[in-house]
Amino acid sequence: PTKLEDFQTVVAIGSVQGELAIWESRKQKPFLVVLNFFKQSVTDIAWHPQGTGLIVSCQDGVVTLLQFADIVEQRLGKAIRIDDPDYEGLFRSLYPNQNGFNL
């Protein structure tokens, strides 16, 4: 992406029903919904450092790595790492009203 309009935020959300949804900020419906995979409530979610998957923990103590195929990067785009030198400027451009947020 070269223009600000080409960027988007991708968010992963877990539920007490053990569901997982991945949302794109430019869409009204989730990109991906995972049902009946986790037996108990999702307690934590973290993006893989390379942006290529999710690490998900559940109330039953199970921790799962969901590794995405190349098709996900083609659909969602390349992840920008938080240690990328351009990250802070891009974040402030996308979310100018986030005063007091430390990167």
Side-chain angles (χ1 to χ4, degrees), residues 60-102:
D60 59 4
V62 173
V63 177
T64 304
L65 171 63
L66 300 173
Q67 191 72 33
F68 300 140
D70 292 339
I71 190 76
V72 173
E73 184 174 307
Q74 293 170 7
R75 164 72 189 269
L76 298 177
K78 188 174 188 312
I80 297 176
R81 294 175 46 103
I82 198 166
D83 60 355
D84 186 299
D86 297 324
Y87 178 83
E88 184 172 352
L90 175 62
F91 183 89
R92 301 239 183 259
S93 296
L94 287 169
Y95 306 104
N97 297 324
Q98 296 299 316
N99 297 328
F101 185 86
N102 296 323

Side-chain angles (χ1 to χ4, degrees), residues 3-72:
K3 301 178 292 197
L4 191 58
E5 300 83 36
D6 293 336
F7 290 93
Q8 68 175 335
T9 300
V10 179
V11 179
I13 301 170
S15 75
V16 295
Q17 292 86 11
E19 299 170 353
L20 177 73
I22 299 176
W23 291 80
E24 300 170 76
S25 60
R26 295 185 295 199
K27 306 286 183 182
Q28 294 181 353
K29 295 181 179 180
F31 162 68
L32 174 71
V33 177
V34 179
L35 303 171
N36 303 318
F37 185 79
F38 305 104
K39 294 180 181 179
Q40 293 192 13
S41 299
V42 174
T43 56
D44 201 6
I45 303 170
W47 287 100
H48 185 278
Q50 300 298 325
T52 57
L54 290 171
I55 303 157
V56 182
S57 66
C58 294
Q59 195 169 23
D60 59 4
V62 173
V63 177
T64 304
L65 171 63
L66 300 173
Q67 191 72 33
F68 300 140
D70 292 339
I71 190 76
V72 173

